[in-house]
Amino acid sequence: MSIESTLADGVREALAVDPEAFTARAEEEAEVVKQGLHDGVFDNHQSIVGFEYEFYAVADGRWSEESRAGEYALMRVPRRLLELMGFEKELGLHNAEMCTSPQPLSDHGLRAQLAEVRARLEAAENCAGVEGMRLVSDGVWTIPPAGETARGYLTDSVEVDGVTVAANMSDAVRYHAMANADGAGQSVALEAPGVSLAADTVMPESLITSIQPHYQVAQAETLPVHFRYALRIAGPLLALGVNSPVLPPDLYEEGWDGERALADGATENRVHVFESVLNARTAENKVRFPRDIHDVEEAVDRIAGDETLIPMPESDDSDRFDDAFATFRTKHGTYWRWVRPVFEGASRSSANARIEFRPVPAQPTVRDSIAFQAAFAGLMEALPRHEHPVIGLDWEAARDNFYAAVADGIDADMEWIGYDGEHTTGPASAAEGAWSAEAGSGSFGNGPHGMYADLLDHAAAGLRAAGCSEAEADSWLAPLRYRAEHGTTPADWKRERIRDRLEEGDSFAEAVHGMQREYIEKQSETLVSGGFSAW
């Protein structure tokens, strides 16, 4: 039996599940989770960090015919190669994902995270190199496979025994099932400034890649407070990390040339892609900036009560502790929020309540990526400990900050409450004179000019409280302090390169592809051991 036929059978099996019975089972299991919370099962008595890191593969011009055909063009990763690399499959055939082992939050724990990512990535690059490809850490790809267009690659689908199958999507049944569920006659629509792409499947979502820091709270009952703080730092941290200012040029509508894309386009298109594609087939907007959580039971109820998209069949029994709420965990798989709570554990001793922080795109280097993990974890430690008044920022303002960062990156106008309780609104960019040099490490800045000083000083304080020395804490956060101090981000770097090429006479496509090749070339020298500040 072919892979396509097996996949079609899996889709039919998923679509045959009674959605009402699935939802009822998830709600019953939510009570199991809440009882576990009451019994302290999800408490760990220390803060723990983890990390998810997504990549895409490109041709590096060495061995394979496909690789030689297009310099740094997108490539499909053989499934056998993913297994050799120890990576996991993601949505597109060109994607690969790494998940680190959870570690206690400390300097040793962060070093273990950094070392694991570097070791596994270096080994993966050696495997990929034999196939004439390399892995890229980036917010969005812009050069399609050799001889193909981005539009064709993202929309290619076939009918297999009456089931719509995306030609370039991995064999994840739930994603293929979305194209065949009720309402499947309605196209998925990717919508971003200047781009409108219709597709039969959710494959356009595979344009984007991200990093996802995880923070396990020591005491599950404190998760709502941490969650409220996480929402209020989402906009500022995203603004420091923006890395997808353009999409593949052949996706843009007529009249959108390079100048207009730079002037009127978003700074972080990844957010537009994820929201528009995965919300297209839902009655509610499942991908969204979430509301505050007031108690931990409410977090559980929200997951259980979220709109059921694809009611997947029950999995075979295993010996995982959280099989007691396996349907609830499946429901969580489509609980797409930019910040989301998680309750799971392979064993009772490893059961945990954590926050997944999902706004930040993949970064130019591993060092920069882990800096976001350190900053997020440090802030989760320090903000509640210091009872930072930004928790009083209106939810609407936190949401508006997030989408302002999507539009304008580090130059966005954002509202903030400083450590002294002063409400301020203004651009946070150093290009606007925003960096407060006097704040320095260890003192908390205030006002729009001191927002990043305030954030990063509190992150440093949180890392010190977790056992890092002052020098160690400063070192982990140095890549982000550099961005704040110089008012620059990876998206700014990309825009400047595109603008320079346009001024030299390149077409929009030539400028974007030239920038992308330069990005990958720079990354080839700095991904594992260097930093964006050297670019």
Side-chain angles (χ1 to χ4, degrees), residues 196-230:
S196 182
L197 175 69
D200 293 329
T201 73
V202 297
M203 181 63 189
E205 193 258 319
S206 71
L207 270 168
I208 57 177
T209 46
S210 69
I211 56 173
Q212 295 178 23
H214 297 183
Y215 176 85
Q216 294 184 21
V217 297
Q219 302 290 330
E221 66 179 9
T222 69
L223 185 142
V225 172
H226 287 88
F227 192 85
R228 286 171 64 90
Y229 276 117

Side-chain angles (χ1 to χ4, degrees), residues 234-312:
L237 287 185
L238 174 58
L240 285 176
V242 287
N243 195 21
S244 56
V246 292
L247 297 173
D250 73 84
L251 298 184
Y252 281 84
E253 301 166 353
E254 185 177 354
W256 277 74
D257 59 8
E259 292 295 340
R260 186 175 181 189
L262 293 179
D264 299 334
T267 304
E268 188 49 50
N269 283 290
R270 173 178 163 265
V271 170
H272 289 297
V273 172
F274 196 52
E275 288 191 346
S276 62
V277 172
L278 292 183
N279 286 340
R281 290 276 173 79
T282 63
E284 305 172 6
N285 289 333
K286 289 173 69 68
V287 185
R288 63 180 186 263
F289 191 81
R291 288 275 179 181
D292 288 328
I293 293 171
H294 298 94
D295 57 66
V296 70
E297 290 82 6
E298 182 183 10
V300 176
D301 288 336
R302 284 193 188 175
I303 297 169
D306 192 46
E307 178 184 0
T308 297
L309 195 58
I310 299 297
M312 298 294 291

Side-chain angles (χ1 to χ4, degrees), residues 388-404:
H388 195 292
V390 78
I391 198 170
L393 185 69
D394 289 343
W395 175 86
E396 289 81 5
R399 177 200 58 196
D400 292 347
N401 284 349
F402 178 77
Y403 289 105

